[in-house]
Amino acid sequence: MGDWKGSYNRVSVSTVALFTLAMAAATGLGAVPFFFVELDPQWAGICNGMAAGVMLAASFDLIQEGQEHGAGTWVVIGILAGGIFILLCKKFLERYGDISMLDIKGADATKVVLVIGIMTLHSFGEGSGVGVSFAGSKGFTQGLLVTLAIAVHNIPEGLAVSMVLASRGVSPQNAMLWSVITSLPQPIVAVPSFICADAFNKFLPFCTGFAAGCMIWMVVAEVLPDAFKESSPTSVSSAATLSVAFMEALSTLFQNFSHDYNSEDASGFFVSLLFGLGPLLGGLVLVAFALAFHLQHALLMGAASGIAFVLGAWRPVQLLVYSKMGFFPLMSLLMIGAAFVHVSSSSILKILCNKRASSNNLPSVPGVTVSVLTLQSFLACGTVAFHALAEGLALGVAAPKAYGLGRHMVLPVSLHGLPRGAAVASCIFGAIDSWHGSLAAAALIGFVGPISAIGAILAGIDYSGLDHVMVLACGGLVPCFVRIVQRAIRLDMRKSSCGLAVGVGFATLCLTCTRLVCLHTPYCNSAPEAVR
């Protein structure tokens, strides 16, 4: 066991590069909401306020990190140097008159260039911190937890960059791309800082102070004034305050947890994140097939329903086969879950729909107009998210017990998420005919599972009562997807039936393969109550 722990803590350069690349990619998740909504001027101002709050909170974290690594004097010098640097950059850009970027011209383009540049600069400090942490005395365990903390931290930072871009008319795809670009210095700097940890440790105080100074100057001089032009001071101030509070809550959570970490928790966190890749891969597979074979809406909605029905039946059947729950309690929980979702979704539709259902239009939300049928699809995806949350809790019990970074759990966990992502992607594709919206939905639903699993690890819960939650979630899948399959049948009965059969077959194949792989790996032995 001692030899295993020693080898576990040794870290290779390729490991540092791989994990920091994944950490940088997490920034792109911040752009996901903009695949579904368009900003009107009022919301653009609120988004700028939120971006200002995120940047201020990141500045405070950088200052604190710099002070922890050494001389506070160098942090102060870095703050002043950052403010002067960004001021000179602004004057330099203004000398060129009307610059353009991403179809944005003039003063707005200058602000976008500065925001992207500043967020990119501050990533250098975070990359250095990750590299130094991997080179520390606790090696991989410490580095992985720091990487996970910054990956979660990157999501609202990506949201901040996307807000600034989206409020100026940039497409969601470009907003996501530039969000990821601002975090690319993290893996680029992490590797040399890991190799030369002592040297980079000396430069960290100045670098973190410099990035903080740049962001503080930009928030006060550019981002907040723009926000106040587009929205009321009360709305902007509230958005900025909530953003700062949220970012500080994240930092406090991971800071408190990092004082009591161990290799089991690190393994659990890693496996939990893998749980989010399966739905994204499932969404990619579905979208690729839909685009390649020009699949019709009826077939896609039928496939989504078939997958959902298998997901809803799989765990209850397991509980009956292994006599872990009686027939009548199980059926009671299924009916309660189905009744709750049916009443809730029906109430939402009644509140939002006009009395004349034939118009199929909902009251407009700022920047968004949604049909009744589209809303039904979103509600169905919400039940899939609840199912993912329940399974994430079970994974949070099993994952910390998986040894060797949970490498035996990678395949079964990824396979298990494929049908969920395919169900969400096919449901959204059939509703709005948008492949990028389908992928964004699959990624968003996929993210629910890891959040639930990580929360279970942090809370230290056991498996007691989780089967009841799972059965309730399974029951909730039925009423929403019954509506979806009814809609598909009205469009085209033959194609919807074909899609239903394809969905049932695909989900059954994925879950059966998961079961077979699981039986031949230590996954089942790590938490048999979660998988048997």
Side-chain angles (χ1 to χ4, degrees), residues 59-110:
S59 302
F60 302 150
D61 285 344
L62 286 169
I63 292 170
Q64 182 179 0
E65 182 184 347
Q67 291 172 342
E68 290 174 354
H69 278 85
T73 305
W74 282 106
V75 178
V76 174
I77 294 173
I79 293 172
L80 297 174
I84 294 170
F85 173 77
I86 200 66
L87 175 62
L88 294 176
C89 284
K90 185 173 185 297
K91 298 220 175 263
F92 177 78
L93 290 172
E94 286 174 349
R95 287 176 55 189
Y96 286 90
D98 290 339
I99 64 171
S100 62
M101 180 180 181
L102 299 171
D103 296 327
I104 305 172
K105 296 182 179 180
D108 278 345
T110 301

Side-chain angles (χ1 to χ4, degrees), residues 292-323:
F293 297 103
H294 305 288
L295 301 182
Q296 299 297 314
H297 290 187
L299 192 146
L300 289 170
M301 289 184 288
S305 302
I307 294 171
F309 294 151
V310 173
L311 289 176
W314 192 262
R315 186 58 180 166
V317 169
Q318 280 187 322
L319 294 174
L320 285 176
V321 170
Y322 289 100
S323 301

Side-chain angles (χ1 to χ4, degrees), residues 401 518-519 521-528 531-532:
K401 301 174 185 178
C518 172
L519 289 174
T521 66
Y523 176 35
C524 285
N525 297 327
S526 65
V531 292
R532 289 180 178 173

